Amino acid sequence: SDDTERGKRMSESINELLKELTEAPGVPGFEEPVRKIMESRLQGLCELSGDRLGSLIARKQGSADSPRIMFAGHMDEVGFMVTQITDEGYLKFQALGGWWEQVMLAQRVVVHTRKGELVGVIGSKPPHILTAEERKKTVEKKDMFVDIGVASREEAMEKGVRPGDPIVPVCPYTPLANPKYVMAKAFDNRVGCALVIEIIRRLQSVPHPNTAYGVATVQEEVGLRGAATSTFAVEPDIAFALDTGVAGDTPGIRKEDAQEKLGQGPVILLYDASLVPHRRLRDFVLDVAEECGIPIQFDSMAGGGTDAGRMHLFGRGVPSLAIAVPVRYIHSHAGILHLDDVENTARLMVEVIRRLDADRVREITGG
């Protein structure tokens, strides 16, 4: 049927986008490779500009200049930065973003130097020489290092390594047993970047009574920084952070700690440490989802935050909401998501944007 064929084409285009975006390197402060991909994908679909920190702003004019609707995904992924080269040529590092030590040891990384890429591994002791006491403890980040296979500081520097160089996790984009489940690094938040591109692309053929701003922000993982500067540049009336959420559908996670499940639809974040979402905006999005038959999940996080944490505080305040795609094993080398959740989030956002005219936005903002 036409629907099946269209669905197949959509998942192929999202698959292709996610592969290209997740395999690009882009830790906080080093997002340029991701930005270049986004620029090439958005070229000709909208007007492109940016802020001075490196965030990308895609302006898609609708039938009215205002209201201004902003939806943002962040380009940076969790990673590391070289802080020191030891005499023996090992690299000490600073974590960029929230890492749990247990998922780091023995993982492959790539150091991006001025002379090119160097593959390395986060070193670990073999079990044979660990004491019973050591086996029970997690090694601390400060005691870890990256081994790039050189014998001295001089050799590492000859290869191009300098303090400040970014270190990026390795995990090729991989469809799993059921190809709707895919594994990759950097889903947090290349998913949001893919959604920005996909939404702008779909708005080409959908009339919308506003101007839509798809934004790819920098440095979210280290303090929502690009969200502050890009919101200043856009001056939105309504804002959405498109991010990833913590899937709780694996063994050992209690339902009360994470409610999201893969394949069950986009997640409305009811609370995190950076945002209590705007109630009327939340209700409006839920009404749209119900009207369009799009499944919705809810979650809340005691810690963490999204770009909406900065966006809602701009100027006199911007009604904001974080909408997430559930991901398993977030903030590790390999995450897993379900492609239907990405598709349903894109559908939801397009339906929301087409309904946000000046009257509706006045109702939401209260004037």
Side-chain angles (χ1 to χ4, degrees), residues 232-264:
F232 185 87
V234 170
E235 299 184 349
D237 297 295
I238 298 283
F240 297 93
L242 303 176
D243 212 319
T244 50
V246 179
D249 57 356
T250 57
I253 296 184
R254 299 179 313 160
K255 203 171 182 178
E256 50 270 39
D257 292 332
Q259 302 173 53
E260 306 167 33
K261 291 183 168 67
L262 263 54
Q264 303 292 305

Side-chain angles (χ1 to χ4, degrees), residues 61-78:
Q61 177 74 52
S63 58
D65 286 341
S66 67
R68 296 174 175 214
I69 314 302
M70 175 172 171
F71 46 98
H74 65 87
M75 293 185 280
D76 55 318
E77 63 188 289
V78 292

Side-chain angles (χ1 to χ4, degrees), residues 13-75:
S13 84
I14 284 178
N15 237 326
E16 197 188 301
L17 251 185
L18 285 172
K19 177 177 169 57
E20 190 178 10
L21 287 164
T22 57
E23 290 185 351
V27 298
F30 301 89
E31 295 92 348
E32 293 93 335
V34 184
R35 184 187 161 120
K36 282 196 176 108
I37 292 168
M38 296 199 68
E39 282 174 340
S40 74
R41 293 280 192 157
L42 288 165
Q43 209 70 51
L45 299 178
C46 53
E47 189 186 299
L48 295 174
S49 63
D51 66 17
R52 291 177 186 166
L53 291 190
S55 302
L56 179 66
I57 298 167
R59 179 180 181 273
K60 169 69 182 73
Q61 177 74 52
S63 58
D65 286 341
S66 67
R68 296 174 175 214
I69 314 302
M70 175 172 171
F71 46 98
H74 65 87
M75 293 185 280

